[in-house]
Amino acid sequence: MRTNQSEDQYIRAKERITELRKFYAKVLRGLVAVCIVAAINYYLNEWEEPWFLWVVFGVTVGILVRAFRVFNLNPFFGKDWEERKIKELVNRNEF
């Protein structure tokens, strides 16, 4: 019985590491893309029209969405939201 639990924990840890690796790879790819586009923007007009900021905005939104998913940063409807809400209602006797 104990061995199965250890194996399950190992599998979950390995899946978590895979998620983290994908997240950090996305951050790195985004950083490289922003640097390349910023260099092109500087080469073409020397920051007179900083259109590369649109790329920065898009990359940032993509990274934030992934970060919310990977790090469970959704305080309203996270994994334990339902359980917390039930406890809150029971404590206030509103059921």
Side-chain angles (χ1 to χ4, degrees):
M1 178 92 179
R2 184 98 173 137
T3 309
N4 289 337
Q5 185 179 9
S6 298
E7 288 175 9
D8 289 342
Q9 288 175 341
Y10 176 77
I11 291 170
R12 283 192 304 251
K14 194 166 183 170
E15 289 172 353
R16 177 80 175 138
I17 294 298
T18 302
E19 288 177 8
L20 289 171
R21 182 181 295 137
K22 287 179 182 178
F23 173 74
Y24 291 129
K26 183 174 182 100
V27 170
L28 184 62
R29 284 190 310 267
L31 183 62
V32 169
V34 166
C35 289
I36 290 170
V37 172
I40 292 170
N41 188 183
Y42 181 75
Y43 177 74
L44 293 176
N45 63 20
E46 296 183 356
W47 308 123
E48 288 179 23
E49 296 176 20
W51 51 263
F52 80 98
L53 292 176
W54 289 105
V55 175
V56 172
F57 177 73
V59 169
T60 302
V61 168
I63 289 173
L64 285 175
V65 167
R66 176 71 63 106
F68 278 112
R69 206 174 321 134
V70 169
F71 296 110
N72 296 322
L73 297 176
N74 190 347
F76 302 108
F77 298 108
K79 288 183 178 180
D80 62 341
W81 175 82
E82 187 174 324
E83 188 64 34
R84 285 185 290 144
K85 203 61 172 168
I86 289 171
K87 287 180 183 178
E88 178 185 326
L89 292 174
V90 168
N91 288 338
R92 291 193 299 179
N93 293 323
E94 293 182 15
F95 47 88

